[in-house]
Amino acid sequence: MPHDHNDSQAPGTISPSGHPYRPDDDRPLTYWQNMEIAVRELLVEKGYITALQIQNQIDTMDARSPTNGANVVARAWTDPEFKAALMNDAAQATRDMGFDIGPMHLIAVENSDMVHNVVVCTLCSCYPRNLLGLPPDWYKSRAYRSRAVIEPRKVLTEFGLVLSENVQVRVHDSTADMRYIVIPSQPEASKGLPVPDLVKWVTRDSMIGVGKAHAPT
Amino acid sequence: MKVRVHNNWPPGHVRTPGYLRGKTGEIERKIGLFSNPEQNAYRHAPEQRELLRVRFKMSEVWGANAENPNDVIEAEIYSHWLEAV
């Protein structure tokens, strides 16, 4: 497995096994980190919520992953009735599949030969967390959030996705109450496979719209 | 239906992105009633406002600098930020 060696590392800061030392993360807490701890501890001390409830909520969020969305997409590829329900009300359709997405409002947008959808939140980092789990770090970066609406094709090229001029790019800016999931086009080579196999073709990036569904590697 | 986003710059928790203010687009769909975030963010009893998805052409948003004039941006805009064109 390759490692990230830092060539600018000063001599003498290499471990005996030849690895550069990574600096310890010894920064003090920020103002808002302190504030979050203070409010959380107050809520627990005053009995509004328990530490166990907080831990359970963290566990619930950590258990959500792109695999949930991949199951939704694979079913949409193979079940026209579900697909129609998903396009009509994606939140209700995913709830009916058994996913606990809380109060999230969800819209599914479908890629085709003529249209490619990509999702961004220019104002903050809105993401369908209640279905797909936490967003990737780049999704929250200022570079992605600003460039996705200004030069989406260039951004997609950097993700390795080059689109024909004939394909319309639709950038969905999650400005308010809705969250979005892209239904990527089903690759020809995957047609006819059973759903449990199809799930492996659906990547997180393909559901954000910065990639395509592809054969499992 | 064509609508234009108000070119207003009020302070506060506004969910209308600056790059779309003053721009004209087509209503893509109506989503329903939602609490006005400009009141909700400050714990004022929020009014229910209609939320709409509006589709803007890249050429409308970025003019001659558009990467591809026929690509589009779709965003959710509250009705009180829109006027019919």
Side-chain angles (χ1 to χ4, degrees):
Chain A
M1 176 114 188
H3 298 276
D4 293 329
H5 288 274
N6 183 351
D7 292 331
S8 66
Q9 199 87 37
T13 58
I14 301 293
S15 77
S17 59
H19 290 251
Y21 288 115
R22 183 176 175 170
D24 283 325
D25 186 13
D26 285 339
R27 289 184 299 268
L29 294 175
T30 65
Y31 174 84
W32 292 111
Q33 284 172 323
N34 272 320
M35 187 67 92
E36 182 272 324
I37 293 167
V39 170
R40 170 159 44 90
E41 289 182 349
L42 271 173
L43 287 169
V44 171
E45 278 175 31
K46 288 176 177 286
Y48 289 103
I49 49 176
T50 66
L52 183 63
Q53 283 176 309
I54 295 171
Q55 193 54 51
N56 284 343
Q57 194 58 43
I58 293 170
D59 289 345
T60 300
M61 183 50 85
D62 281 349
R64 291 172 173 137
S65 82
T67 307
N68 296 352
N71 276 281
V72 171
V73 171
R75 186 163 170 202
W77 282 347
T78 53
D79 178 347
E81 205 172 308
F82 173 76
K83 160 95 172 297
L86 185 72
M87 299 311 291
N88 181 52
D89 182 346
Q92 194 52 47
T94 48
R95 276 189 202 105
D96 290 345
M97 259 186 93
F99 293 113
D100 172 15
I101 61 166
M104 181 169 72
H105 298 278
L106 187 66
I107 288 179
V109 288
E110 187 187 14
N111 286 350
S112 69
D113 293 341
M114 302 305 297
V115 174
H116 182 88
N117 296 282
V118 56
V119 181
V120 64
C121 174
T122 59
L123 296 175
C124 44
S125 56
C126 297
Y127 185 80
R129 295 165 192 238
N130 286 9
L131 183 66
L132 302 184
L134 297 178
D137 281 349
W138 56 257
Y139 185 85
K140 299 181 280 183
S141 71
R142 193 176 282 268
Y144 179 75
R145 287 165 44 219
S146 55
R147 294 183 57 216
V149 290
I150 299 172
E151 45 183 17
R153 286 171 185 266
K154 195 166 173 210
V155 170
L156 293 176
T157 301
E158 291 166 19
F159 277 96
L161 186 57
V162 181
L163 297 172
S164 152
E165 288 294 310
N166 303 325
V167 175
Q168 182 186 60
V169 174
R170 286 186 192 158
V171 183
H172 300 274
D173 190 353
S174 314
T175 46
D177 294 271
M178 311 308 287
R179 302 293 175 264
Y180 296 88
I181 180 173
V182 176
I183 309 302
S185 299
Q186 181 174 8
E188 281 301 321
S190 73
K191 288 188 176 163
L193 293 176
V195 167
D197 290 344
L198 289 177
V199 168
K200 298 174 191 150
W201 289 61
V202 185
T203 63
R204 177 199 66 196
D205 285 5
S206 73
M207 292 181 281
I208 303 174
V210 297
K212 289 186 171 185
H214 60 75
T217 50
Chain B
M1 182 184 166
K2 272 191 182 268
V3 287
R4 185 186 297 121
V5 182
H6 291 314
N7 194 9
N8 294 341
W9 297 85
H13 182 76
V14 174
R15 303 291 312 181
T16 305
Y19 72 93
L20 293 176
R21 296 186 201 176
K23 306 299 181 187
T24 300
E26 289 270 351
I27 294 177
E28 189 265 343
R29 75 178 83 174
K30 298 182 175 187
I31 305 166
L33 293 173
F34 287 86
S35 297
N36 181 0
E38 293 154 39
Q39 298 162 316
N40 211 21
Y42 302 99
R43 298 286 179 93
H44 299 161
E47 292 166 90
Q48 297 298 299
R49 292 281 167 82
E50 189 171 26
L51 189 60
L52 304 100
R53 298 194 77 243
V54 183
R55 177 177 292 174
F56 302 87
K57 290 186 90 170
M58 285 286 185
S59 53
E60 164 69 8
V61 179
W62 307 117
N65 293 324
E67 184 184 48
N68 182 317
N70 296 320
D71 290 343
V72 297
I73 297 171
E74 298 184 3
E76 302 147 42
I77 311 283
Y78 291 91
S79 55
H80 61 282
W81 274 88
L82 296 172
E83 59 183 345
V85 177

